[in-house]
Amino acid sequence: MTFCRAPTPLLFLACAGLAGCSPTLDWREVRPPDSPLLLLFPCKPSARERRVPLAGPPVRLTLLACSAGGQTWGLAVADVSDPVRIAPALAELVASATANIGGAPSRAVPFAVPGATPNRGSQRLRIQGTLPDGKVVSMQVAVFTHGTRVFQATVLGEEVAAEAVEGFFDGLRIPP
């Protein structure tokens, strides 16, 4: 299974093919494997792992994703092992998300997750684009880091409900 059309990892075209969830939002707290991050998903996510090149040699990328309320909700996490690779990895995640939907990103805004490692590359943005079947979609993406782990949280859909999306992004945190 290919996670993206671009040579860098990203994922969310494949997310729609992961195990489906109830169409209603049933929020639950989730901790990705081998990660200190806690977040709220509106459905029960399925997990996939894959080795992908990310700002250098391949790394293990874990993807949690599910579909609910007409959107695909996802989180990708990878440990790039070297602090020098963090900023390029965050930039590659954004570029790949944009390429996955042939998109045009909005102006990025700084994004801070409680407990995350501060990084100028941590950001949140909207991307408008189309899926391979021609369907117009909107994607909201946030990238951030903790130590040498990089994260990408994403919501993708024809329409993205603002309140639910804010709850998803506001629910990201790394406890002390």
Side-chain angles (χ1 to χ4, degrees), residues 3-5 10-17 67 70-72 96-104 127-140 154-160:
F3 280 112
C4 62
R5 290 182 279 173
L10 209 111
L11 340 293
F12 292 98
L13 292 179
C15 293
S67 294
Q71 289 92 37
T72 298
S96 184
T98 302
N100 279 337
I101 62 169
I127 305 167
Q128 297 294 118
T130 56
L131 296 177
D133 65 4
K135 188 181 295 182
V136 174
V137 291
S138 178
M139 180 187 293
Q140 291 201 32
T154 303
V155 181
L156 171 73
E158 288 182 62
E159 294 183 30
V160 180

Side-chain angles (χ1 to χ4, degrees), residues 11-118:
L11 340 293
F12 292 98
L13 292 179
C15 293
L18 296 177
C21 301
S22 169
T24 59
L25 303 183
D26 181 14
W27 295 95
R28 68 210 52 226
E29 188 171 81
V30 174
R31 181 186 302 266
D34 302 321
S35 169
L37 181 72
L38 287 174
L39 72 154
L40 296 173
F41 263 98
C43 42
K44 184 177 180 183
S46 294
R48 300 272 175 127
E49 283 188 7
R50 180 170 188 148
R51 291 196 60 79
V52 296
L54 185 60
V59 296
R60 184 182 75 186
L61 182 117
T62 301
L63 170 66
L64 301 176
C66 61
S67 294
Q71 289 92 37
T72 298
W73 308 79
L75 178 85
V77 59
D79 190 338
V80 295
S81 305
D82 181 355
V84 172
R85 293 173 60 188
I86 293 170
L90 294 174
E92 282 186 24
L93 289 171
V94 169
S96 184
T98 302
N100 279 337
I101 62 169
S106 66
R107 186 177 67 82
V109 296
F111 185 70
V113 170
T117 305

